Amino acid sequence: MLDGSIYRGAEADISIHDLKLQNNQYSKSQIWLENGPPDQLNSIQAGWAVHPRLYGDSVTRFTIYWTGDGYQKTGCYNTQCPGFVVVSRNPILGRGFWGTSVYGQLSLTFKLQVFQDGFSGNWGLKMFNEVIGYWPKELFPHLNNGASLVRYGGNTYLSPDGLSPPMGNGYYPVADFKKTAHFNNVVIINSEYKRVYVEDRKIRRYADSYRCFRVTYWGYTKSTGVAFSFGGPGGNCGV
């Protein structure tokens, strides 16, 4: 969402999936909150990642990332550098999840919220309404004014042979949430610090390779809130 509005946070229920990747690939499903020009980009990212080079395996792990200068000199995953402050006694950053969705049988999700505190200006992180920690406002000269762009979905990193790993659960999106990667109850925290459902007219759907990945927006229903499905098998996306 990039429409001139300012956002103070984002929230969603994100489905969890197992993927098997090569060492030089990664696949993520996450929320982004960003502001600033490209060379000074402030970005907060939180969700899950399968990242063999980072973790040494293909386990789906709770993962965060940040940068305060467009990925130049600042930022890192989890707590690999000074920045994110952990306050929870439950050290879940970088840990594998308690379970995973089973194709056609079970959809397993976790609730994630990134929010700017209206008093301190810091950016907090919650899972299932438990505060995990926060990013101090000093890290983000542009995000201090709120996020101008909020993104929900997935991204991947190609191996040197040009092949993309799968995204989501490795399948194209469908209506059956037991067979697709999805975000439910997609919420933004608006400029007045109120939680509201994302408005259809403010959403732009985007997939950079229709051959490899797709996204289907379902809008609002009583059972899922605002929801969308996404993902795909990856492969040679440039052909």
Side-chain angles (χ1 to χ4, degrees):
M1 299 185 303
L2 182 59
D3 62 356
S5 300
I6 287 296
Y7 304 99
R8 301 296 180 176
E11 177 184 309
D13 298 338
I14 305 173
S15 62
I16 306 166
H17 303 279
D18 276 341
L19 297 171
K20 295 296 180 280
L21 271 61
Q22 301 174 25
N23 283 338
N24 43 20
Q25 299 174 327
Y26 67 62
S27 187
K28 300 177 180 179
S29 180
Q30 61 181 23
I31 296 171
W32 292 256
L33 294 104
E34 299 181 331
N35 202 348
D39 62 337
Q40 304 170 31
L41 181 69
N42 294 181
S43 180
I44 290 173
Q45 303 165 26
W48 63 253
V50 178
H51 199 321
R53 189 166 57 181
L54 176 64
Y55 293 118
D57 55 35
S58 272
V59 175
T60 304
R61 298 176 181 271
F62 183 58
T63 302
I64 63 172
Y65 185 88
W66 70 274
T67 181
D69 61 358
Y71 306 96
Q72 296 181 69
K73 294 182 179 180
T74 68
C76 62
Y77 285 102
N78 301 333
T79 55
Q80 290 186 332
C81 65
F84 186 79
V85 179
V86 177
V87 299
S88 171
R89 294 182 179 179
N90 181 18
I92 63 171
L93 288 184
R95 284 200 172 180
F97 286 89
W98 51 88
T100 185
S101 300
V102 180
Y103 183 83
Q105 300 178 44
L106 174 69
S107 173
L108 194 64
T109 66
F110 70 102
K111 181 177 290 292
L112 183 67
Q113 184 189 89
V114 179
F115 64 98
Q116 188 174 30
D117 182 78
F119 296 99
S120 68
N122 298 331
W123 287 86
L125 176 69
K126 286 183 180 180
M127 180 191 282
F128 292 120
N129 296 317
E130 178 188 356
V131 177
I132 306 302
Y134 65 92
W135 291 269
K137 64 180 181 181
E138 289 77 17
L139 301 175
F140 304 119
H142 296 289
L143 272 174
N144 278 345
N145 301 317
S148 60
L149 174 64
V150 178
R151 290 189 283 162
Y152 309 80
N155 74 322
T156 63
Y157 183 78
L158 307 181
S159 52
D161 58 12
L163 296 180
S164 172
M167 181 188 296
N169 68 344
Y171 295 89
Y172 295 128
V174 294
D176 184 349
F177 280 6
K178 293 180 180 178
K179 296 182 177 180
T180 193
H182 56 90
F183 280 52
N184 292 353
N185 296 309
V186 178
V187 165
I188 59 105
I189 301 173
N190 65 19
S191 59
E192 299 175 352
Y193 298 90
K194 295 179 180 178
R195 295 171 63 257
V196 295
Y197 278 122
V198 173
E199 298 177 46
D200 291 357
R201 63 184 178 85
K202 292 187 176 183
I203 287 179
R204 183 168 71 94
R205 294 170 286 282
Y206 173 75
D208 62 0
S209 172
Y210 187 78
R211 171 177 178 152
C212 286
F213 311 115
R214 299 172 191 174
V215 58
T216 303
Y217 176 68
W218 303 110
Y220 174 85
T221 67
K222 285 187 177 180
S223 61
T224 65
V226 173
F228 67 91
S229 303
F230 72 102
N236 193 344
C237 302
V239 175

